[in-house]
Amino acid sequence: MKVEIYADVLCPWCYIGKRRLAAALETVAGRESVELVWRAYELAPEQGRVPGPTAAEAMSEWWGDQAPARVAHIQALGAAEGLELNLGLAKPVSTFDAHRLNLLAARHGLAAEMMERLLRAYHTEGLNVADPDVLRRLGAEAGLDAGEVDAVLTGDAHADDVRADRRSAAERGITGVPTLVIDGGPPVPGVQPVADLRRLLELALAR
C-alpha cells in the first residue's frame, strides 16, 4: 500500500503530522507493506534564497492580534510530539532545492531521514534551507553521497519531478499541507489524532 504525503519544509504542521503518522504506523498490523512517498508541495514558491522576516513575524501579518496565541498553540502541539518549533527563528525561503534533495534521497530509500533533517534544520535550528552549503551538509548528515548531492544542487536534476508533484496536487484538489493520499484514495488531512490516522491506515490495508 502506498501512502503519499504532500508536505513542505516550511510547514510546522507537516513536522507534527510526520511524527503522528510515524506513531500511527508503529502499531498497524502489516505496516511493513506500507510505502511512504513524500510529494513536494511548495507553500511559498515566490520566496528566494535569502531569508527575510521570521515565520512568527509573517504569522503576525496574517493573523494580527491572534498571532501570539496561534503561534503558542502550534508550538505546544509540536512539544507534545517532542518537537521544538522555533517560529521566531525560522525564516521562510524557497524550498525548491530542498525538495529536489529529498527526491534524490528517495532514490536511495532515505527520504524519511532527509525530510526529518530538513524539518529540524528549519523549524528547530533556524537554518537557511535554500542555502546550497547548508543543503550539502544536511544531505551528508542524512546519509547521501556528497558527489550526488552536489550534482543535484549545481544542476537541474529532479526539477521536473517537483513540478510534477505540484501538478498532481492541483489535479487532486490539494490546497494545503500536510495532506495524505492513501492507496490512491481521496486526499485527507495529514494532521489528525494518531488513533484516527491508524484507523485510516488499517481500513486501507484491509481492502
Side-chain angles (χ1 to χ4, degrees), residues 39 100 164 197 200:
R39 298 293 187 197
R100 293 199 301 129
L197 289 171
L200 287 171

Side-chain angles (χ1 to χ4, degrees), residues 12 14-17 19 75-85 116 124:
C14 292
Y15 207 178
I16 294 167
R19 277 290 191 276
Q75 290 177 319
L77 290 175
E81 305 299 332
L83 304 176
E84 183 182 344
L85 302 177
E116 178 71 23
T124 301

Side-chain angles (χ1 to χ4, degrees), residues 61-106:
E61 289 189 11
W62 306 337
W63 298 327
D65 293 343
Q66 297 180 19
R70 291 198 180 194
V71 167
H73 178 62
I74 293 169
Q75 290 177 319
L77 290 175
E81 305 299 332
L83 304 176
E84 183 182 344
L85 302 177
N86 293 321
L87 301 179
L89 190 62
K91 295 183 177 182
V93 287
S94 169
T95 54
F96 190 77
D97 286 345
H99 283 302
R100 293 199 301 129
L101 189 59
N102 203 52
L103 286 162
L104 169 66

Side-chain angles (χ1 to χ4, degrees), residues 9-85:
V9 178
L10 302 185
C11 173
W13 297 106
C14 292
Y15 207 178
I16 294 167
K18 184 178 187 294
R19 277 290 191 276
R20 291 184 181 179
L21 180 60
L25 278 168
E26 282 181 6
T27 56
V28 169
R31 60 186 176 277
E32 64 280 352
S33 66
V34 176
E35 176 192 8
L36 298 181
V37 178
W38 290 89
R39 298 293 187 197
Y41 189 103
E42 296 172 272
L43 281 173
E46 74 287 349
Q47 289 282 356
R49 291 184 175 183
V50 179
T54 67
E57 289 168 340
M59 290 173 180
S60 291
E61 289 189 11
W62 306 337
W63 298 327
D65 293 343
Q66 297 180 19
R70 291 198 180 194
V71 167
H73 178 62
I74 293 169
Q75 290 177 319
L77 290 175
E81 305 299 332
L83 304 176
E84 183 182 344
L85 302 177

Side-chain angles (χ1 to χ4, degrees), residues 173-190:
I174 294 171
T175 57
V177 289
T179 294
L180 306 179
V181 175
I182 301 174
D183 217 22
V188 296

Side-chain angles (χ1 to χ4, degrees), residues 110-161:
L110 293 170
E113 292 83 353
M114 189 71 254
M115 182 58 75
E116 178 71 23
R117 190 64 191 95
L118 287 164
L119 288 165
R120 179 158 58 89
Y122 177 74
H123 290 286
T124 301
E125 300 166 7
L127 297 180
N128 179 358
V129 292
D131 184 325
D133 290 335
V134 171
L135 291 174
R136 287 185 181 93
R137 177 161 66 83
L138 299 180
E141 291 175 5
L144 296 179
D145 176 79
E148 288 190 75
V149 170
D150 192 62
V152 167
L153 295 176
T154 57
D156 61 358
H158 301 297
D160 287 343
D161 297 323

